[in-house]
Amino acid sequence: MFFGKMITLRTAEEVEILRENALLVSKTLAEVGKKVRPGVTTLELDKLAETFIRDHGAVPGFLGYDDFPNTLCLSVNDVVVHGIPSRYELKEGDILSVDCGTRYKGYYGDSAYTFAVGEVSEEARQLLRVTRASLFKGIAQAVEGNRVGDISAAVQGHVEAFGYGIVREMVGHGVGRNMHEKPDIPNYGKRGNGKRLREGMVICIEPMINEGTQEVFLENDGWTLRTKDGKRSAHYELTVCIKKGQPDILSTFEFIEQN
Ligand code: MG
Ligand code: MG
């Protein structure tokens, strides 16, 4: 047995369950997004997401995962990922990354979106725009016959032109009966390198991009990952099933962006 090492190819039925998870995560992110405004605490957003997920017959995928204490990872400004919901009140000009997971019918969903809180600076808007676009550059490479490095190089090539730092410590991943499966999907790498992408692989692509240095540090709480220079970081994540010709994107930002 090679648990944790093999790349699993999903059956059509499994892909449909993963899609149900991915759509529920997408809708949860949109529900959260409706409430993102100055004065709201991150804990309030977390509770709203937990209720929404449970009302749809699923359970929060992150809650209790490696003992994570909440439903959402809510990462403000210089927090890269894994921010713990708190009494912090969002302020005008903040950026807030919302990472959400579900577990439903034995499988996981996992996607993320970075929101602007009220009016944000042009620098912040550019970071969000470029990070989001880099995710779609990566997704365009997520087809049968390409390699993981094709995704990585596409993300890297897009963001580095802006002088941004690519977080090395955290990467995208396969998703299925576990939240994090093989293969790793780094946001940096070389075209033509890495594992070959095969039809039926389901992966999460998730650029984590810093306005300044790529260097990060872990806070004493053991979760919160921050940029070393205190500059902003953005994070977008979607789940994709590898197919021939074009990727099947299981999660979506449509619910968020039609608000
Ligand atoms: Mg995630
Ligand atoms: Mg992920």
Side-chain angles (χ1 to χ4, degrees):
M1 305 297 269
F2 300 96
F3 284 120
K5 295 203 171 108
M6 278 192 327
I7 298 175
T8 310
L9 302 180
R10 302 292 168 191
T11 65
E13 285 94 343
E14 288 181 294
V15 171
E16 290 320 305
I17 298 173
L18 284 161
R19 193 189 309 277
E20 288 182 79
N21 272 281
L23 287 175
L24 180 54
V25 169
S26 304
K27 288 174 184 168
T28 307
L29 289 174
E31 288 303 304
V32 171
K34 285 179 199 165
K35 299 283 191 249
V36 169
R37 64 174 67 101
V40 166
T41 71
T42 54
L43 207 50
E44 288 172 296
L45 299 177
D46 182 73
K47 290 301 158 214
L48 177 151
E50 178 170 4
T51 302
F52 188 81
I53 291 167
R54 293 192 190 282
D55 284 351
H56 287 79
V59 296
F62 297 169
L63 184 65
Y65 186 91
D66 283 341
D67 295 327
F68 188 78
N70 291 85
T71 293
L72 299 177
C73 295
L74 294 171
S75 306
V76 180
N77 296 336
D78 62 319
V79 178
V80 179
V81 286
H82 301 166
I84 297 174
S86 72
R87 291 189 184 148
Y88 175 80
E89 286 185 10
L90 295 175
K91 302 191 306 290
E92 183 95 14
D94 282 347
I95 61 168
L96 171 70
S97 146
V98 181
D99 196 350
C100 180
T102 57
R103 192 160 51 81
Y104 179 63
K105 297 184 180 173
Y107 292 80
Y108 280 91
D110 179 17
S111 291
Y113 194 92
T114 305
F115 294 91
V117 181
E119 283 299 311
V120 303
S121 67
E122 174 49 31
E123 289 84 355
R125 274 203 300 277
Q126 178 181 280
L127 177 69
L128 302 188
R129 195 163 58 232
V130 170
T131 306
R132 184 188 181 287
S134 76
L135 167 58
F136 286 93
K137 297 277 181 187
I139 289 173
Q141 298 297 319
V143 292
E144 159 102 13
N146 273 1
R147 290 184 182 268
V148 169
D150 295 316
I151 298 173
S152 307
V155 173
Q156 180 173 18
H158 188 71
V159 302
E160 282 191 343
F162 293 86
Y164 293 150
I166 298 172
V167 175
R168 266 46 180 185
E169 286 79 356
M170 309 294 303
V171 294
H173 51 90
V175 63
R177 288 190 171 275
N178 295 292
M179 177 110 63
H180 297 123
E181 301 191 357
K182 292 293 167 192
D184 285 351
I185 313 287
N187 296 303
Y188 56 93
K190 289 200 169 67
R191 211 163 275 287
N193 277 13
K195 297 258 185 273
R196 193 173 286 284
L197 302 172
R198 308 245 334 259
E199 185 153 14
M201 283 172 56
V202 178
I203 58 173
C204 293
I205 305 177
E206 49 179 315
M208 287 154 269
I209 305 301
N210 299 344
E211 213 170 13
T213 179
Q214 69 186 49
E215 289 184 66
V216 297
F217 71 96
L218 187 64
E219 269 193 18
N220 291 334
D221 63 15
W223 283 106
T224 310
L225 198 70
R226 283 186 195 271
T227 61
K228 244 182 193 164
D229 60 9
K231 293 187 178 174
R232 284 176 281 248
S233 185
H235 178 207
Y236 291 84
E237 177 180 21
L238 288 169
T239 304
V240 180
C241 180
I242 305 297
K243 299 271 186 201
K244 289 194 180 76
Q246 66 173 24
D248 182 7
I249 310 174
L250 303 186
S251 48
T252 175
F253 297 149
E254 273 171 41
F255 303 116
I256 296 171
E257 294 176 353
Q258 74 194 10
N259 281 344

